[in-house]
Amino acid sequence: MEAVSRTAQWTAAARALETEREDRLFADPYARTVADEIGFELLARYDGGGIVPFLAIRTTYLDRAVVKAVEERGIRQVVFLAAGMDTRFYRLPWPDGVTVYELDRPALLEAKAEMLKDEPRPAGRSRVAVPVDLTQDWTGPLKEAGWKSEEPVLWVVEGLLFFLPEQAVRTLISTLSAHAAPGSVLLGDVISRAALDNPLARSFMTALEEDGNPWLFGTEEPEALLADCGWAVREVRQPGEDGADFGRWPYPVAPRGLPRVPRSFLFTCDTPGHGQEEAA
């Protein structure tokens, strides 16, 4: 697999560690399989600065937001961009009729399929792997795979945006908005620019760069970014805040107005007008 795809395996390793805790926030029985040995080696190389608790929080936040969006909106097509070693298709309680599309590079999807080939597919749901390069056209292959742009969709952009240059981030989020029928939802995460320059994380950032996975993008104003790209922001949470803590975040949360603070943000967005329609 390409170097950047390996990040999916150290994320899976962190999910495996959370799964094996007695007080686990979620259970991912497939995480250790897809992490493989390389995932735990990379996790040990990158660990520090709250990486493991953050990944537990991010997974939990998105797990719950995904389930809520599907149940409350009746969405039946879910698209994971840069799906990596995500196993939510297997482990979340999907309603009947849901189709989960997983977009990622061909080599990663092939490796993942091999690792999970003996796992039975849960009934009542469908999974479609769509091999693409997200820096190229991917909406065409997604439509060919069965996705219907005229129906509501749940987009999930987890652990991706900080690997892209700013223009690519804006193009991607805007593309998601342009292809989101009314009632669609966007879930994901992004970091602050200060997180890229954090001196306490220098060894981590250096290791990522050496391994071909540099982090490139951050923003202090995720609400403005998402709104500029066509989304109505429902919420943005930092780890440790209400709704994004779950008893895992070990650090105090600095007020948003405090400058030059490394931050991570978890967000939920709607198509414009949805909140107003509900209020009416």
Side-chain angles (χ1 to χ4, degrees), residues 43-270:
L43 186 61
R45 175 168 166 77
Y46 299 146
D47 193 16
I51 288 292
V52 170
F54 169 71
L55 292 173
I57 288 170
R58 185 177 75 184
T59 301
T60 304
Y61 176 90
L62 293 176
D63 276 4
R64 297 181 183 186
V66 165
V67 170
K68 182 178 181 180
V70 171
E71 288 182 348
E72 293 185 355
R73 301 288 181 88
I75 295 173
R76 291 298 180 267
Q77 46 183 5
V78 181
V79 181
F80 290 93
L81 292 99
M85 294 299 173
D86 184 277
T87 62
R88 289 185 174 96
F89 168 77
Y90 293 93
R91 64 182 183 80
L92 288 188
W94 300 104
D96 286 350
V98 166
T99 299
V100 174
Y101 298 92
E102 296 188 2
L103 277 60
D104 215 313
R105 293 177 179 266
L108 184 145
L109 292 175
E110 290 171 8
K112 181 177 179 179
E114 179 64 23
M115 292 172 176
L116 296 173
K117 66 181 180 181
D118 295 328
E119 297 295 338
R121 291 202 169 200
R125 65 193 75 166
S126 301
R127 174 181 172 270
V128 181
V130 185
V132 293
D133 181 342
L134 289 170
T135 64
Q136 308 296 323
D137 171 57
W138 52 268
T139 58
L142 182 57
K143 287 180 180 179
E144 292 173 4
W147 166 69
K148 298 177 177 62
S149 60
E150 69 275 12
E151 297 181 4
V153 60
L154 172 58
W155 301 115
V156 184
V157 185
E158 180 182 19
L160 171 62
L161 299 182
F162 31 75
F163 289 110
L164 304 175
E166 180 171 355
Q167 188 53 55
V169 169
R170 291 183 175 274
T171 298
L172 177 62
I173 300 174
S174 297
T175 300
L176 298 177
S177 175
H179 291 81
S184 296
V185 176
L186 169 65
L187 304 172
D189 68 305
V190 69
I191 60 173
S192 67
R193 184 72 199 177
L196 299 175
D197 304 324
N198 179 13
L200 298 178
R202 189 163 294 139
S203 61
F204 168 65
M205 293 295 183
T206 300
L208 285 172
E209 189 167 357
E210 290 174 351
D211 292 349
N213 313 319
W215 283 9
L216 303 174
F217 175 75
T219 177
E220 267 63 35
E221 299 181 344
E223 294 91 346
L225 169 71
L226 293 162
D228 288 348
C229 295
W231 289 96
V233 180
R234 192 192 315 170
E235 67 174 29
V236 172
R237 297 278 186 267
Q238 296 181 83
E241 292 180 336
D242 288 346
D245 183 4
F246 313 117
R248 284 290 180 273
W249 193 242
Y251 308 111
V253 181
R256 283 287 296 273
L258 196 63
R260 296 185 295 278
V261 174
R263 304 178 192 275
S264 297
F265 303 106
L266 302 163
F267 58 79
T268 300
C269 300
D270 299 308

